[in-house]
Structures are given as C-alpha cells and as structure tokens.
Amino acid sequence: MPTRIGFLLPRSTDYPAMGFDILDAFRIHFQLLGVDDLQLITENIGYGDNQQLYYAKAEKLLLEDDVQLLVAYSGVLNAEPLYQLAQSSGRAFLFLDAGMQMPTEDKMPNNWFLSLQGLDASYRLGQLAAKGKRNVLMASSFFDAGYRGSLFNVKGIEAEEGNVSGNYVSTHKISEFSIARYLELLNENSPQVVLANFSIYLTELFMKELKENRSIATLLPFYCSPFMAEETILTKCDFPSGEFHTIVPWATSLENEAQFLFLKSIQEQKNKVANLFHLLGWEAAVVTVRLLNEGPQSLANWSFDSPRGKVMFNADTQTSYAPLYQGMIVSDADGKCKLKIDEKLAITQEEHRQTCSQKIEGIHSGWKNNFFCT
C-alpha cells in the first residue's frame, strides 16, 4: 500500500504557482530520499480567510482519504482549529509557514511548524534600523501592516532605544497607489532611516514610486522586510538608487551541499529557478520522512541540513528555526533589483523561544489570510 500524504495547498493571486511549487519540490525530494511508493492527495484551501473550509478539507483527507500524515501551508491562526483534529485522529500535522503571525493557543503534541521566521527577521531588522538610537520612519503596505511584522519591527526598535518618527501605510489598490504622504513624513520629526514593510506586487509599486521621486525619496537608508527582498519579486523591480538593507531566511546565492542539490534538482526537473515555496516543499519532504518513520515526538530538538543552513525543531515551541542572512538589495547589470548576501546571522534557541513566547495584548489585526495569499 502506498504512503498516503494529504496536502492543504493555498491560492495566491500574486504567486499563482505557489501550491504547485511546494508540491513539486516535495515530490522531487521525497523521491531523492528513496521513497518511491507515494500517493499525494491535495485539497485547495483558498487564500486562508475561511477557517471552516480549512477544517472541512482536513477532515475529508483524514476520514475519506485515510491519509497517514497531513501537510498544510498555513499561518498559525488558520492552523489552530486543526490542533484538536490532529490529536483525535492520532495523525501528525506539519504546517508550512512564513512565520508572520503569532499563536493565540498552545500547540498540541502532534502539530509541528516549519517556519521561514518572518517575525525573527522583523525583530532583527528593527534592531538594525534603530542602532544608535535613531529615529525610524515606518513605511508599510496595506497588507503587510496587517500582519505581525510591523509589531516586531517596533519591538526591535524599542530594544535599541530608537524611536518611531512616523507611519506611512499605502493603499493596496494599484490605481490609487501613492507615496505622497511618505514624502511628507520625510520632512516631519527628522527621521534618520526608513523601515519598509512591503511584499508581492506592492514591493514593485513602492520601488517604482521611489525611483520616480528618487531625488527626494531615497536619501535615507532603507531597512527592508524579509519578503520585500524575495528574489522572484525583485527581478520585476527597477532599482531606484539608494541604500537598501535587508534580513532574509534564504537566498539563491548561498553555497552549501544541500543548496547545490536543491537548485540543481528544481532546475533540471521543473526548468525553474528555485524559490521560497520550493524551499518549504523541499524541507517538508525531509521532515515528513522523519515523521513517518519515527513519529511526531522524534522532531523534538532534531535538526537537519537545509539549503538555508541547519534547521532545528524546538521541543517546547514545536517550531523550526534556522540561520537568517543579512544583505543588501542592489542593482544588477540591467538596472533591476537583486539580492546580495553579506552575513550569516545565527538564531539561538533562547532568541527563538523569546519570539515564540511573545503575547499580543490589546487591539490587533483580524487579518487571517496566509502570508502571500491575496
């Protein structure tokens, strides 16, 4: 009997191949790991704004398709309704996550998260931007401001005794997109740096506006969110001039044995340059083999070599963490944006625990969409 694995895959207007890339890389790596007798059963979960749909699709995979393990691309807010389902079914659930939301409920033993550590990177970026007690102008898109990245930027700024001098939040409508208010804020409260939170098509719009107004818009150093520097998006953006720092979970320029096999396999079998979603699927294959052979508790304090470095699962948080990478967004030979990595940043177990232990109090966003799923 084949190994049956259920997949809950997302939709994304801006990354239409997201689900395909996750699944393709999972299948390719699973076979390279020596498991040929595999049956993947997939269900579409939309953009992540319907928790009832999530639950119904997961229940169908467990009850009707009798999958042995379930893998889902899901932020924690959508994963939480499934925690009890994993326990009652006795199956392991592996959630693939950009790491841009905070849990509101305690995880249960059968639920594990493979994360791109968006909040870790956001916190580090806030620290970097505010170093020397600087005044920081926050610039965010309508979508990105609704996740927890901006909050962790501010926590990082506060840790360095910096100050938020102003907030600019863009519209999400292409026809109405303008940085007029951002330009006004550059002349208010004496900002010294800009911390920019953009992703998907809004990165391209922001960079375009910066270029059109570069004589006044790009005079300060920028500190760009991890998914603003996502390489698929950067290839579409004209470099506006200026200084653009960033912290990311992974880059195609990293050099290690796991990276070589990963990039080579995706290029040869799918004729594509590998991206973050391929990476999540690739890593998920390694973790899934471990879960099938050893069970959920075998992930506690277990690590494996990934294209982004050593990935470790923490027994207490049930979430993975790995190194981050500091770099710059620079111009390529054609005037487009590209990512240049300068330094590897270790994430300690204690730093990981501190990020996961943060509690959100007071008013917060009700934005439940999985990150990138719009």
Side-chain angles (χ1 to χ4, degrees), residues 30 41 74 77 160 185 201 211 341 353 359 371 374:
F30 214 78
I41 305 170
S74 176
L77 297 182
E160 290 292 323
L185 288 168
Y201 70 95
K211 183 176 182 180
I341 297 300
R353 282 189 181 131
K359 299 298 181 184
F371 196 72
T374 57

Side-chain angles (χ1 to χ4, degrees), residues 45-296:
I45 49 176
Y47 299 110
D49 54 355
N50 187 335
Q51 291 180 332
Q52 291 179 332
L53 175 66
Y54 256 68
Y55 192 92
K57 297 283 190 176
E59 193 174 51
K60 182 260 183 188
L61 287 171
L62 293 169
L63 297 179
E64 295 183 26
D65 300 307
D66 194 27
V67 297
Q68 293 159 256
L69 181 146
L70 189 142
V71 182
Y73 183 87
S74 176
V76 291
L77 297 182
N78 290 314
E80 286 173 346
L82 306 186
Y83 290 171
Q84 189 61 59
L85 187 59
Q87 294 310 117
S88 61
S89 68
R91 319 290 169 82
F93 282 27
L94 176 64
F95 297 102
L96 315 181
D97 183 23
M100 293 295 283
Q101 295 171 329
M102 289 299 297
T104 60
E105 298 180 9
D106 293 335
K107 297 181 182 70
M108 295 181 178
N110 283 7
N111 301 282
W112 293 83
F113 273 87
L114 185 59
S115 174
L116 292 176
Q117 298 168 265
L119 296 183
D120 279 326
S122 296
Y123 181 82
R124 289 285 189 101
L125 198 67
Q127 288 182 302
L128 199 62
K131 191 174 182 179
K133 303 182 180 181
R134 290 187 289 197
N135 287 336
V136 182
L137 172 57
M138 300 283 291
S140 300
S141 77
F142 169 81
F143 291 131
D144 293 270
Y147 293 96
R148 301 293 180 262
S150 295
L151 173 62
F152 275 74
N153 289 152
V154 174
K155 287 178 179 291
I157 291 168
E158 291 173 345
E160 290 292 323
E161 300 183 44
N163 178 63
V164 176
S165 69
N167 280 282
Y168 159 77
V169 179
S170 79
T171 178
H172 65 289
K173 296 181 179 179
I174 296 175
S175 61
E176 298 176 5
F177 194 93
S178 167
I179 62 168
R181 179 56 183 153
Y182 162 78
L183 296 175
E184 292 174 354
L185 288 168
L186 288 175
N187 297 313
E188 299 177 12
N189 304 319
S190 303
Q192 295 167 281
V193 298
V194 180
L195 204 164
N197 270 298
F198 289 82
S199 64
I200 54 177
Y201 70 95
L202 292 155
T203 298
E204 188 177 357
L205 292 176
F206 185 59
M207 293 299 230
K208 179 175 180 290
E209 290 278 313
L210 291 181
K211 183 176 182 180
E212 291 177 354
N213 296 275
R214 59 182 175 269
S215 62
I216 55 174
T218 61
L219 300 179
L220 299 179
F222 287 78
Y223 291 81
C224 302
S225 61
F227 304 113
M228 184 174 176
E230 196 276 313
E231 290 176 279
T232 304
I233 285 293
L234 289 184
T235 61
K236 303 176 183 178
C237 299
D238 291 328
F239 187 73
S241 80
E243 184 180 318
F244 294 83
H245 303 267
T246 190
I247 295 175
V248 297
W250 169 79
T252 55
S253 60
L254 300 181
E255 295 184 0
N256 57 63
E257 289 185 15
Q259 172 90 318
F260 176 79
L261 177 62
F262 171 55
L263 296 179
K264 179 174 179 286
S265 300
I266 300 301
Q267 182 63 53
E268 288 181 351
Q269 297 202 38
K270 304 309 298 184
N271 194 29
K272 282 185 173 183
V273 176
N275 58 43
L276 277 174
F277 308 115
H278 287 119
L279 177 68
L280 276 177
W282 185 267
E283 291 185 347
V286 183
V287 180
T288 296
V289 170
R290 176 80 174 187
L291 286 168
L292 290 170
N293 291 337
E294 306 291 340

